[in-house]
Amino acid sequence: MDHRGRGGPSVHLPLSAPTMAEGSTTLPCMTHMHVAGSIHADAVAQGPQWLVRPEDVNALDERLWSTSVVRSDEGVVTVAGLGVDQIAREVGTPVYVVDEADFRRRARGFAEAFAGWDIYYAGKSFLTSKVARWVAEEGLCLDVCSGNELTVALRGGMDPAKIGLHGNNKSVEELRLALESGVGRIIVDSLDEISRLETLATELDTTARVLVRVTTGVEAHTHEYIATAHEDQKFGFSIQGGQALMALVRCQQSPGIELRGIHSHIGSQIFDTHGFEVAARRTMRLMAQFGQATGVSLPELDLGGGFGIAYTAEDTPATPDALSAGLTEIIEHERRAYGLHQPHLSIEPGRAISGPPAMAVYTVGTVKVVDIEGGAQRVYVSVDGGMSDNIRPALYAAEYSAVVANRTSTARPVLCRVVGKHCEGGDILVRDVFLPADVRPGDLVAVPASGAYSRAMASNYNHATKPPVVSVKDGQLSTMLRRETLDDLLALDVLD
Ligand SMILES: Cc1ncc(COP(=O)(O)O)c(C=O)c1O
């Protein structure tokens, strides 16, 4: 399960509360008719334990939003000086809005805090040609996990020598593209892949620079599907089972391969550095074993990504400075313990760079109060997007927050569930959030920390067209990805 303990209690309103009529379009009764009967704070359950009923439902918790986000004097949420109402008018909703300066600042923050390390921005979290350009301009490296991501990175001007290619099932074509374009390193994940690389390197008369991805057996404190270093999963070679050492020796002996080192990634949205400590200890011990077996000391160690961010007020991420200090100390300790040379170090932060700079903006379509067990009711706020533009809540019970973004309200906070428009009961975007009781159709709802694994994992479920991504800098709007159109979808649809 996700480390934050999902699915707290629901809204508990007294049985006597009037429900909204089916088809009702606004929620005035929530404000004026006291839907909860004697509607006092104590009459409404507070949702999950971590969710604090806000003093001011209009407040923007600065831990969740990009640095330039504030409300204007008119109450509209603005990004780098531009109101989300204006953005919605110009490009429609749903839309992801990226604060370019904030993205760059976070990328730079890692580069500065981890001076001397290589920082590979994990492109899987969110990648466009412009993102690749920003990453290159900020002096970072970039990791990709498909041939197509590699093409986008190159298109954005990323130096191929600063690109790493991941993947547990890279095709021959993807490996060929990587070798032909001069990718700096390939993170090998299986013996089949090593064989393919050997053949290709001979054919292309080149050398593949590789890291061997290992599984350290660490159970990261995160959801099962995003914890990747325990043994029973598809990524990497097991240290415990001895396959990791065998793969390292095999690469070392292979003429077409230049073995650079070891790669470990233990999971995502991790707050507890203990997992990194255990992983570092096990990878350093493996380096020592490899040194004993071959007399060669491996020059590189990559500790992967997974640094947690604040999606809700309960998340307390570490700063890059604190992470750097902690990881450096751990590595130094283990290096001394095993009498190893200092390896060249790298990490692969994805969401910690791309998540917080962006918000998703939706338009409310319907508001419905639903009777649930125990005489309780729940307020469902349906928006014009959903699981097709953010699958994370449905996929691994990820939590988000939200605000009404086009105005402020004097109505009291009511616990709501923000849901999408898809034909799926689990189509939830924000499981529990306090919104003003007068939230109504036409309002804009903004969801912070939506830059990572949202657009990147978007689908066309129900023939939804994928939302655009725009960036804002100094009040200027520019398109990063245009909105998909029905014509785009129909172009794929063959009617003989
Ligand atoms: C190998 C690897 N590196 C880096 C990352 C980035 O993780 P995050 O975005 O949580 O930092 C991932 C995420 O899945 C990954 O698999």
Side-chain angles (χ1 to χ4, degrees), residues 426-449:
D427 176 24
I428 294 168
L429 285 168
V430 186
R431 178 169 290 274
D432 296 289
V433 63
F434 283 98
L435 295 178
D438 61 354
V439 59
R440 55 186 176 242
D443 274 339
L444 297 177
V445 165
V447 176

Side-chain angles (χ1 to χ4, degrees), residues 9 12 27 31 60 71 81 96 102 147 155 166 195 213 225 227 250 322 335 357 376 447 453 474 478:
H12 291 286
L27 194 56
T31 327
L60 299 174
R71 281 196 194 266
Y96 308 95
D102 192 79
R155 184 167 183 257
H166 274 282
S195 300
R213 176 150 179 181
Y225 295 165
R250 162 93 184 264
R335 188 188 72 70
V447 176
Y453 306 104
D474 301 330
S478 55

Side-chain angles (χ1 to χ4, degrees), residues 61-79:
D61 183 339
E62 62 183 24
R63 293 167 298 178
L64 308 185
W65 300 86
S66 74
T67 31
S68 75
V69 171
V70 289
R71 281 196 194 266
S72 68
D73 293 345
E74 292 73 40
V76 176
V77 171
T78 62
V79 186

Side-chain angles (χ1 to χ4, degrees), residues 120-125 143 145 166-167 187 213 225-226 228 235 263-270 302-308 311 347-354 452-453:
Y120 282 79
Y121 166 65
K124 74 198 73 177
S125 66
D143 102 49
C145 49
H166 274 282
I187 296 87
R213 176 150 179 181
Y225 295 165
I226 49 177
T228 54
F235 292 110
H263 181 286
S264 150
H265 172 79
I266 60 171
S268 285
Q269 189 58 358
I270 299 165
D302 188 317
L303 293 173
F307 311 113
Y311 288 101
I347 50 167
E348 297 171 340
R351 83 190 60 218
I353 293 174
S354 63
Y453 306 104

Side-chain angles (χ1 to χ4, degrees), residues 311-433:
Y311 288 101
T312 71
E314 68 150 353
D315 297 326
T316 49
T319 61
D321 282 331
L323 288 169
S324 164
L327 291 181
T328 302
E329 191 186 324
I330 291 166
I331 295 292
E332 183 54 18
H333 183 269
E334 299 309 315
R335 188 188 72 70
R336 283 175 191 272
Y338 291 107
L340 293 167
H341 293 298
Q342 173 68 44
H344 184 72
L345 297 165
S346 49
I347 50 167
E348 297 171 340
R351 83 190 60 218
I353 293 174
S354 63
M359 67 173 81
V361 181
Y362 304 93
T363 302
V364 175
T366 63
V367 179
K368 194 190 279 183
V369 181
V370 173
D371 292 332
I372 57 177
E373 319 89 71
Q377 292 185 314
R378 194 191 300 288
V379 180
Y380 279 88
V381 177
S382 294
V383 297
D384 54 353
M387 63 194 297
S388 60
D389 58 73
N390 188 358
I391 190 67
R392 295 188 67 255
L395 191 59
Y396 26 69
E399 294 285 0
Y400 282 85
S401 184
V403 296
V404 168
N406 53 310
R407 63 185 174 94
T408 51
S409 167
T410 53
R412 64 188 175 75
V414 169
L415 194 59
C416 295
R417 179 162 291 176
V418 181
V419 295
K421 60 177 290 172
H422 294 288
C423 225
E424 197 74 41
D427 176 24
I428 294 168
L429 285 168
V430 186
R431 178 169 290 274
D432 296 289
V433 63

